[in-house]
Amino acid sequence: MESRILFGKEAREALFEGIRELSDAVTTTLGPLGHTVVLNRGYNLPYVTKDGVTVARAYETNDTVKGMGAMLVKMAAAKTCDEAGDGTTTTVLLARKMIEEGIRFLNCWNVSARDFRRGMEDGLQVALDKLKSLSHTIAEDDFDTIRKIALVSANGDEEVAEMIVNAVSQVGRDGVITVEESPNRSEMSVEVTTGFHWNKGLISPYFVTDAERIECVLDNPYILILNNRINYLQEIVNVVQDVYSEHRALLIVAPDISPDALKFLTQNIQRGNLKAAFVKAPGYGQIQKELMEDLACRVGTVAMDVSDYSSPIQLGGAPRVIISSNQTILVGGNGESDKVRERVQGIRHQLEDATNAFDKEKLRERIAYLTGGTAVLYVCGESEVELKERKDRVDDAVAAVKSALEEGYVAGCGVCAAQLAVAMLEGQQSKGCLDDYTSGKQCIVEALCSVNRVILKNSGIEPEDGCAWDVFDGNVRRLNSSLPELEGTQPEFCYSIDPITGETVNVLEKGIIDPTKVLRCALTNAVSVAIQFLNTDCTIATPVEQK
């Protein structure tokens, strides 16, 4: 089949058409009064959501070139979601605006790609440095700030915000918070248990049991922890047969697994003979051995060699295991609490004697693994449609709180983004006609100023009636001239229209705040994909065969 080849301006505009469609759909969800999107998830069942990443994943097109353009931005948005758990919509918006401005510069002037790229990279670094200085840290017991962040991300849902604060207060910042559908569908509640989690996830799509959330959930599984790599399928045949005969699920944790052994597991899963998963062991090197022993203590077994296994009585267990693309969570554990306390006490003694900063950090991580609790938020709704939509919002709110606990918070409603734009323009000499280097920076400035505009637009407030910003003659100016300008980027100068009440407020004082990590990841990934897009001069696409 003949490929479709496009060059230069035509190639970029064809790719951008897919980005434009994707952005128009996703950005309607931005802000507390953003709109919902109805998706067709198959069987003609409508799925109503306000979750940007869900909308982005649902976008498909028969036009191959448009699909490639959309996929570039979807990959950047997915990376933001993986890193921060939120910020997908912001990533799509920023990337779209940067690419749109970049195309305008490339089409109107003979821009040097090298200088243009350098301008974007330097501009990004200036913005990230300023973002770090504007960020406010959150104290361990600052539950009021945690509640504000949860409230903003949950679109003003007070009940959801209180649930998240309740969960964080019980499991701490090192704990794990997951979201489930309420069994009785009529009451929201929080259930807290002890657990163990680490940043290794699914290595095969065949392990997935929840296709909607792309997760593997094992209820009451046996857990086998092995010290060494699984090289041959014969090494795990006995344990698989024993677990299958008892009609239980199986989780295998080891440093690695051979393709043949992995194929053996997945084939049994596909045939419906087994419910199982393999996850790589936590950590690396010497710390991996210690973490595996910690995990074994938590689930009531020992880390063993393959040859040591003889019967299921040697295996550990947990009430539930949840495995996502990049994380494994054990809810509870069958280990004896006395042995867990003894092990934690031993690690604390090592921490007291440790002098190396790296060793101290790893010992604290081990204590967090063993002592950190797991909170399950049970969400309800009047209908199936409302339940799914609310669950998506709670997921976003939990992710936002986690990100804020890690890196702090900044002014929300797009105010901090505008402050970063001001910082990028400080000291800029060029006015009117921009050189290639400054044009690269200008793309990021324009994108940062668009965040507040879109939030207000989705709230039914026209930019000229609100506090939205735009760039005029190389300076950031409010579209409403009756309001004060951004004369400096000090954190206390944070006024904007409240999208919900329509009043002019200091967003920090009002509690309209966003996690620093979310904005950082969104901006970084958006700049990355914009640079790659604007450096493109040719597309080659093979049409999809119609069945």
Side-chain angles (χ1 to χ4, degrees), residues 386-404:
E386 181 186 351
L387 174 64
K388 297 291 186 182
E389 191 275 332
R390 196 175 203 183
K391 189 178 177 183
D392 285 341
R393 283 192 288 115
V394 176
D395 274 327
D396 286 347
V398 169
V401 167
K402 289 179 180 178
S403 294

Side-chain angles (χ1 to χ4, degrees), residues 37 52 57 75 135 145 205 290 308 312 330 348 372 390 411 428 494 507 509 514 534:
V37 177
R57 286 172 179 163
M75 290 169 64
S135 181
T145 301
E290 294 168 345
D308 295 335
L330 272 66
R348 293 191 191 279
R390 196 175 203 183
Q428 183 172 300
C494 299
V507 293
E509 293 178 357
D514 290 333
L534 296 172

Side-chain angles (χ1 to χ4, degrees), residues 421-467:
V422 173
M424 290 177 60
L425 292 175
E426 287 179 352
Q428 183 172 300
Q429 299 299 320
S430 177
K431 302 286 183 180
C433 185
L434 304 175
D435 57 34
D436 298 346
Y437 175 82
T438 309
S439 297
K441 282 188 175 183
Q442 196 75 7
C443 287
I444 303 178
V445 171
E446 295 279 358
L448 289 168
C449 288
S450 70
V451 178
N452 182 261
R453 291 203 303 271
V454 174
I455 291 174
L456 295 182
K457 179 182 176 182
N458 288 344
S459 302
I461 302 172
E462 292 301 322
E464 58 269 17
D465 298 328
C467 291

Side-chain angles (χ1 to χ4, degrees), residues 4 16 49 53 74 100 105 114 122 142 216 230-232 245 358 392 404 417 469 480 494 524 526:
R4 178 187 176 194
F16 182 71
T49 184
V53 68
K74 286 168 71 172
E100 193 171 34
F105 282 118
R114 184 189 64 179
D122 290 352
D142 190 359
C216 172
I230 302 171
N231 293 309
Y232 308 102
S245 65
F358 178 80
D392 285 341
W469 294 275
N480 188 335
C494 299
T524 302

Side-chain angles (χ1 to χ4, degrees), residues 128-140 142 144-146 148-149 173 400-412 415-416 419-420 489-494 506-520:
L128 293 180
D129 290 343
K130 193 62 186 180
L131 179 64
K132 188 175 181 179
S133 69
L134 292 172
S135 181
H136 302 252
T137 58
I138 300 179
E140 185 80 29
D142 190 359
D144 183 55
T145 301
I146 293 172
K148 291 175 180 176
I149 291 170
R173 65 171 66 211
V401 167
K402 289 179 180 178
S403 294
L405 288 171
E406 289 180 27
E407 297 187 14
Y409 66 92
V410 291
V415 172
C416 183
Q419 291 178 329
L420 301 184
T489 56
Q490 62 271 28
E492 63 272 13
F493 199 90
C494 299
N506 183 312
V507 293
L508 281 176
E509 293 178 357
K510 186 68 181 292
I512 304 175
I513 51 182
D514 290 333
T516 304
K517 185 177 181 180
V518 170
L519 183 54
R520 177 182 63 79

Side-chain angles (χ1 to χ4, degrees), residues 215-231:
E215 289 180 345
C216 172
V217 180
L218 303 177
D219 290 315
N220 194 30
Y222 277 125
I223 300 176
L224 172 66
I225 302 176
L226 299 174
N227 287 319
N228 303 313
R229 182 181 189 269
I230 302 171
N231 293 309

